[in-house]
Amino acid sequence: QESPPAMRVVILGAGFAGLSAALELERSCGDTPGVEITLVDQHNYHLFQPLLYQVVTGGIEPGHISFPVRSLIRGKRIDFRESRATGIDLRGKTVATDDGDLPWDRLVIALGSTTNYFGLAGEEGGALPLKTLGDSVAIHNRLVDSYEAALLEGDGRRRRRLLSFVVVGGGATGVELAASIQDFVRKVMPRDYPTIPAGEVRVFLLEARGAIIAGMDPKLQDVALKRLGSMGVEVMLDTPVAGFGPEGVQTAGGLSIPSHTVVWVAGVKPVSLVEGLPLDRAPDGRILVDRNLEVPGQEGVYIAGDCAYLLQEGRGQGRTGPFPPTGQIAVRQGLACAQNIARDLRGEPRQPLRYRYRGELISMGRNAAVAQVGGWAFDGLAAWLLWRIYYLGKLTGFRNKLSVALDWSFAYFYRRNTARLG
């Protein structure tokens, strides 16, 4: 008769946090008899979300920023299941999936996040999110369709609405997306749509706070703001959105911006499965965890990535508050969860998360970016080259790195894709 496993570890989510946790745990104790590692995700690929906005503007092919999970774990003692988690029984220590229940001794919840509309959920149909490959393709197609429709539109008001593009949210994603769309509509689309004057096309970036890319060096915020302005992006600070729909955006100040394309990147929240757990949470919906990334009062339950709420300590440069939901932090938290589970198995005490802030890199269009690395802050071509080198190095797999490098080269020296994607 087979003895039961010494430890069954279930990891929910194959994003940055979940995949990092699975690979680190397998490295640390994959050869230990009785340890079972199960990785669960509703998709069988790992998505490199930081470059989704480049799919939107035809700079990267969609398939080049996704990588098969099974290829990443080939030869490793990790059982991957392409299943959707539908419920978590904390007391009974099981995870319900659409392919059956999974028992666990240790659980890592790394399910990422979904778009947060901040109470405007009734109007979601009028705004496009940017969280998945499908989202990026949908926005790309909306841009192309708007140009095609504008060619046939004789009414000036409807034509202006078709050619006005609104990005809501002035964080890193919003800034990069707005800059990339502006590059796309000013430098790429006129080649295929020469009868549409560039002056008719408008790109708006709306931010509820008084500054874009909050958390970065104020000097870089100013540089980024000036860069967007020089490109022609119409940045509107201190402009919270009160509503949006198929006709455009309404601000809290009473301004109406007609637009056929509104992209919402103003914030994220945990997925519904995590929101339904009977656990203490922060005002933004994330689950409170201790310094070991374990849920207080729920031994063996770890949370990493966008689902976890943990205050920063000793990050330096005046940064306070919770860790933001970024890819580099998700990776580090996933590693920390795996290392603490391995310590559990060896009977060693757990160790708190140690995170060293490495900086931020934000692309601002062709040959321009802003960068904050350690105590250094700079912009321009040097920051743009560093941005490309860094993100190319972070991509998974040689094939993806080569494919993206070729996409970038083709887009830089020739042109980006303006065809409607299937």
Side-chain angles (χ1 to χ4, degrees):
Q1 184 177 0
E2 292 186 5
S3 59
M7 184 180 290
R8 295 165 297 190
V9 183
V10 174
I11 302 171
L12 302 181
F16 288 117
L19 185 61
S20 298
L23 294 174
E24 175 65 16
L25 189 59
E26 200 276 341
R27 185 194 67 80
S28 301
C29 54
D31 295 332
T32 303
V35 176
E36 294 181 357
I37 306 171
T38 303
L39 177 62
V40 182
D41 197 287
Q42 62 181 332
H43 302 295
N44 70 345
Y45 58 85
H46 171 72
L47 177 64
F48 195 79
Q49 287 185 322
L51 294 182
L52 276 177
Y53 78 93
Q54 294 211 352
V55 175
V56 170
T57 53
I60 293 177
E61 292 299 313
H64 295 167
I65 57 172
S66 62
F67 200 85
V69 173
R70 296 190 184 279
S71 295
L72 296 172
I73 64 173
R74 185 181 297 127
K76 302 182 185 300
R77 293 180 56 187
I78 299 174
D79 176 25
F80 174 71
R81 303 197 180 187
E82 185 183 3
S83 301
R84 184 173 65 90
T86 58
I88 299 174
D89 184 351
L90 297 173
R91 184 169 297 180
K93 291 191 173 184
T94 59
V95 171
T97 77
D98 50 14
D99 293 310
D101 292 349
L102 291 173
W104 51 268
D105 299 299
R106 297 292 184 274
L107 176 66
V108 179
I109 302 174
L111 289 168
S113 58
T114 187
T115 302
N116 189 353
Y117 291 93
F118 299 101
L120 301 177
E123 299 290 338
E124 288 181 20
L128 300 171
L130 183 58
K131 293 291 292 180
T132 69
L133 272 179
D135 293 340
S136 63
V137 171
I139 300 170
H140 173 86
N141 289 342
R142 180 71 68 85
L143 294 176
V144 175
D145 289 347
S146 294
Y147 269 77
E148 293 290 347
L151 287 176
L152 305 176
E153 182 56 67
D155 182 86
R157 184 183 61 82
R158 288 196 291 265
R159 182 180 169 100
R160 286 191 295 273
R161 174 174 160 268
L162 286 167
L163 297 175
S164 294
F165 306 103
V166 178
V167 177
V168 180
T173 301
V175 168
E176 289 187 318
L177 178 62
S180 189
I181 290 177
Q182 184 70 359
D183 254 5
F184 191 60
V185 300
R186 288 297 175 93
K187 299 177 181 178
V188 179
M189 297 298 274
R191 298 179 182 178
D192 290 345
Y193 301 88
T195 60
I196 296 180
E200 287 191 20
V201 185
R202 302 175 71 184
V203 178
F204 298 85
L205 176 62
L206 276 55
E207 168 55 44
R209 292 172 291 188
I212 57 174
I213 49 178
M216 290 192 74
D217 189 300
K219 294 181 181 178
L220 281 186
Q221 293 177 359
D222 292 339
V223 169
L225 186 61
K226 291 176 181 177
R227 171 68 181 175
L228 288 171
S230 67
M231 295 175 67
V233 177
E234 300 179 46
V235 182
M236 303 174 67
L237 302 178
D238 295 311
T239 308
V241 171
F244 51 84
E247 295 299 317
V249 171
Q250 297 79 44
T251 72
L255 178 65
S256 178
I257 304 175
S259 173
H260 182 60
T261 305
V262 178
V263 184
W264 188 280
V265 289
V268 297
K269 64 179 181 178
V271 297
S272 58
L273 178 59
V274 174
E275 283 189 317
L277 294 175
L279 300 172
D280 293 335
R281 61 189 70 246
D284 63 2
R286 290 189 284 176
I287 304 298
L288 299 175
V289 297
D290 62 20
R291 304 304 302 177
N292 303 324
L293 296 171
E294 192 174 29
V295 178
Q298 298 287 340
E299 185 176 359
V301 179
Y302 295 84
I303 299 185
D306 292 2
C307 301
Y309 184 94
L310 178 64
L311 293 176
Q312 303 173 68
E313 288 185 1
R315 190 180 175 193
Q317 298 184 23
R319 289 174 174 82
T320 59
F323 283 105
T326 65
Q328 60 174 298
I329 290 172
V331 169
R332 187 64 196 92
Q333 290 182 345
L335 294 174
C337 288
Q339 291 159 2
N340 277 330
I341 292 173
R343 292 185 185 101
D344 281 347
L345 187 65
R346 296 191 296 264
E348 300 173 359
R350 299 164 194 159
Q351 293 186 6
L353 171 71
R354 293 186 177 89
Y355 178 77
R356 181 183 177 186
Y357 176 66
R358 296 182 178 180
E360 303 284 354
L361 295 166
I362 297 178
S363 175
M364 299 291 295
R366 186 182 180 95
N367 294 343
V370 293
Q372 187 171 345
V373 181
W376 295 85
F378 53 98
D379 67 301
L381 180 60
W384 182 76
L385 291 173
L386 180 61
W387 178 90
R388 291 214 159 190
I389 293 170
Y390 175 80
Y391 278 106
L392 198 62
K394 288 297 180 181
L395 281 167
T396 302
F398 175 76
R399 179 181 176 182
N400 285 45
K401 295 177 192 291
L402 179 60
S403 297
V404 169
L406 291 174
D407 284 345
W408 280 346
S409 298
F410 192 77
Y412 189 89
F413 292 106
Y414 181 52
R415 60 179 301 168
R416 297 187 226 171
N417 186 8
T418 59
R420 198 179 196 282
L421 300 176

